[in-house]
């Protein structure tokens, strides 16, 4: 099976490529990645010499390059490539529209031209918007994206669905809840909290910290995606969730407790604009149709993730000392002056 993975040098894509090559001897993977600030080939050193793997540097928005690749014949395309951070989309949404919307459309057009038998779009529960204290998102929940990031992913999802209805392109959309695990870029909440705690820096909590996310270990997500790749039905959508709702403040406390650090490191900072209060996924469709269930309990997965960051300091210190530093200063510039 020849699979084009896009955005495979990022967090979930790199975990997926390693998972696929380890579990499916018939899988051959080409990884097309633009290597933005979030793309890191160090995430793939374990498999970079595998003869079943090839890396191509480039953008999903480059129609000539995408055509040249798909001309070779692929059994599936799975699109992870995206600008993925909500706070960056609030600062400047242009790249989100270019990659998440225009880039996805470019991929769809090429998949149609070269009759790719399966195209999977890796999407997010954030397209559904924010929940109140009860209820969970199903595949039938209306789209109500609130951040520019979520709006760009929802726009892409609509283009993907339209290509099924209009042209019969065999597409599948997956919408997962918040992922955590090894190799996550330390701008996202969990790796940011862990790496700050490790060096004794404050953990920035937006607003009251009572916002809720439904945490899913990246390994569980990868297993769901591999299953859908093999057995999912074209034209369908699958929600993927961890059934592990936790408030941000509780996650921060758990990280500090595990590392034996004081809770005085918690720093309440100005809330994110338009901050969604709660996400929660109803995953009964994939559970019933494909027999998938998340296997990693949140507390155990978080402990393993903390150990991973503890034992890979070079991976994240290099990121935190590089270009990312400027973004961090811009976003959390006055953190040391916020009440601790
Ligand atoms: P990430 O930011 O860690 O990685 C994104 C990757 O895409 C990077 O390697 C980057 O270089 C690459 N990329 C960006 N623009 C590109 C372009 N134009 N062409 C080719 N490559 C490009 O993101 P992630 O957390 O691994 O998320 C992967 C996908 O999963 C995204 O589509 C995201 O919307 C979705 N998703 C993420 C989560 C989560 O919790 N992280 C949850 C649900 C869905
Ligand atoms: P994040 O990891 O950015 O994922 P998303 O916004 O896509 O859910 O954030 C997870 C939650 O943590 C979200 O409610 C925002 C919050 N958060 C903080 O409180 N402080 C931070 O520094 C960050 C990055 C996020």
């Amino acid at each position: 099976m020849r699979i084009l993975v896009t955005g495979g040098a990022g967090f979930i894509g790199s975990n997926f490529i390693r998972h696929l090559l380890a579990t499916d001897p018939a899988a051959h993977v080409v990884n097309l990645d633009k290597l933005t600030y979030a793309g890191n080939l160090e995430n793939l050193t374990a498999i970079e010499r595998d003869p079943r793997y090839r890396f191509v540097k480039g953008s999903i928005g480059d129609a000539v390059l995408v055509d040249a690749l798909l001309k070779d014949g692929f059994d599936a395309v799975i699109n992870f490539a995206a600008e993925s951070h909500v706070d960056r989309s609030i600062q400047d949404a242009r790249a989100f529209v270019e990659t998440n919307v225009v880039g996805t459309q470019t991929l769809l057009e090429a998949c149609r031209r070269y009759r790719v038998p399966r195209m999977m779009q890796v999407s997010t529960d954030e397209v559904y918007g924010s929940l109140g204290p009860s209820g969970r998102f199903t595949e039938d929940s209306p789209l109500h994206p609130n951040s520019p990031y979520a709006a760009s992913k929802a726009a892409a999802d609509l283009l993907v669905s339209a290509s099924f209805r209009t042209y019969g392109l065999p597409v599948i959309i997956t919408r997962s809840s918040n992922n955590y695990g090894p190799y996550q870029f330390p701008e996202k909440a969990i790796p940011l909290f862990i790496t700050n705690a490790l060096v004794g820096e404050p953990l920035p909590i937006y607003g009251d910290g009572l916002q809720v996310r439904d945490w899913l270990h990246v390994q569980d997500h990868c297993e769901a995606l591999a299953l859908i790749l093999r057995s999912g039905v074209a034209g369908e959508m699958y929600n993927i969730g961890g059934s592990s709702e936790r408030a941000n403040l509780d996650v921060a406390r758990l990280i500090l407790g595990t590392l034996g650090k004081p809770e005085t490191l918690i720093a309440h900072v100005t809330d994110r604009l338009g901050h969604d209060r709660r996400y929660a996924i109803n995953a009964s469709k994939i559970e019933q149709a494909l027999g998938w269930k998340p296997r990693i309990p949140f507390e155990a997965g978080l402990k393993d993730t903390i150990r991973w960051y503890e034992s890979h300091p070079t991976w994240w210190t290099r990121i935190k000392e590089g270009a990312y530093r400027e973004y961090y200063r811009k976003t959390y510039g006055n953190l040391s002056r916020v009440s601790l």
Side-chain angles (χ1 to χ4, degrees), residues 299-325:
E299 278 67 21
L302 185 64
K303 207 168 268 177
D304 282 353
T305 303
I306 292 171
R307 297 295 163 238
W308 187 87
Y309 282 89
E310 262 187 320
S311 58
H312 292 76
T314 322
W315 185 87
W316 55 266
T317 44
R318 204 174 290 163
I319 292 171
K320 290 185 99 163
E321 284 165 7
Y324 169 65
R325 245 170 113 162

Side-chain angles (χ1 to χ4, degrees), residues 6 16 24 29 82 95 111 117 143 164 208 235 238 244 261-262 275-276 281 304 318 323-324:
T6 64
F16 180 75
D24 183 353
V29 172
C111 286
L143 295 180
F164 176 75
D208 61 10
Y238 297 92
S244 293
K261 302 281 180 176
H275 198 169
D276 286 339
I281 283 267
D304 282 353
R318 204 174 290 163
Y324 169 65

Side-chain angles (χ1 to χ4, degrees), residues 93-111:
R94 180 163 291 274
F96 289 73
V97 175
E98 281 165 6
T99 286
N100 301 4
V101 185
V102 182
T104 299
Q105 178 60 21
T106 308
L107 267 187
L108 289 169
E109 286 166 10
C111 286

Side-chain angles (χ1 to χ4, degrees), residues 128 136-143 175 237 239 282 285:
Y128 297 121
R136 292 185 297 163
F137 300 126
T138 70
E139 288 79 0
D140 295 325
S141 297
L143 295 180
R175 292 181 175 151
M237 205 138 32
N239 281 354
N282 177 336
K285 177 172 172 179

Side-chain angles (χ1 to χ4, degrees), residues 65-295:
L65 173 62
V66 171
D67 262 31
L69 285 172
L70 288 187
K71 214 178 274 170
D72 283 352
F74 279 89
D75 299 299
V77 170
I78 173 160
N79 183 27
F80 293 91
E83 290 293 334
S84 68
H85 192 40
V86 172
D87 295 317
R88 287 183 190 255
S89 79
I90 293 169
Q91 290 177 8
D92 184 356
R94 180 163 291 274
F96 289 73
V97 175
E98 281 165 6
T99 286
N100 301 4
V101 185
V102 182
T104 299
Q105 178 60 21
T106 308
L107 267 187
L108 289 169
E109 286 166 10
C111 286
R112 192 175 146 226
R113 244 186 318 273
Y114 295 102
R115 296 195 161 75
V116 176
R118 170 140 301 186
M119 191 275 179
M120 274 172 65
Q121 173 71 0
V122 180
S123 189
T124 165
D125 60 358
E126 303 197 25
V127 298
Y128 297 121
S130 186
L131 287 167
S134 63
R136 292 185 297 163
F137 300 126
T138 70
E139 288 79 0
D140 295 325
S141 297
L143 295 180
H144 200 302
N146 291 317
S147 70
Y149 161 68
S152 69
K153 293 293 289 186
D157 286 7
L158 292 174
L159 290 167
V160 173
S161 309
S163 70
F164 176 75
R165 298 282 301 183
T166 307
Y167 307 113
L169 191 70
V171 295
I172 297 178
I173 296 173
T174 63
R175 292 181 175 151
S176 118
S177 57
N178 285 65
N179 282 217
Y180 69 101
Y183 298 101
Q184 187 168 28
F185 196 90
E187 66 186 348
K188 303 282 166 49
I190 286 186
L192 179 69
F193 293 170
I194 295 173
T195 55
N196 280 15
L198 282 170
V199 296
E201 278 181 21
L203 278 55
I205 300 285
Y206 297 159
D208 61 10
L210 300 181
Q211 306 84 4
V212 169
R213 296 294 182 264
D214 177 357
W215 293 100
L216 174 69
H217 194 281
V218 67
Q219 181 64 29
D220 279 326
H221 189 189
C222 289
E223 284 174 15
L225 293 173
L227 191 58
I228 294 167
L229 185 66
R230 280 196 302 276
S231 314
V233 175
E236 294 289 318
M237 205 138 32
Y238 297 92
N239 281 354
I240 308 170
S243 293
S244 293
E245 291 182 50
R246 299 289 184 281
N248 295 336
L249 205 48
D250 291 333
V251 173
R253 288 194 179 118
L254 203 51
I255 291 169
L256 291 169
T258 306
L259 288 169
K261 302 281 180 176
E263 289 197 5
T264 48
L265 281 178
I266 288 175
H268 286 274
V269 300
T270 311
D271 207 351
R272 171 186 281 173
L273 296 175
H275 198 169
D276 286 339
R277 198 65 181 167
R278 176 171 167 260
Y279 302 143
I281 283 267
N282 177 336
S284 40
K285 177 172 172 179
I286 183 175
E287 289 175 7
Q288 281 159 23
L290 302 178
W292 175 87
K293 253 195 181 322
R295 291 190 295 127

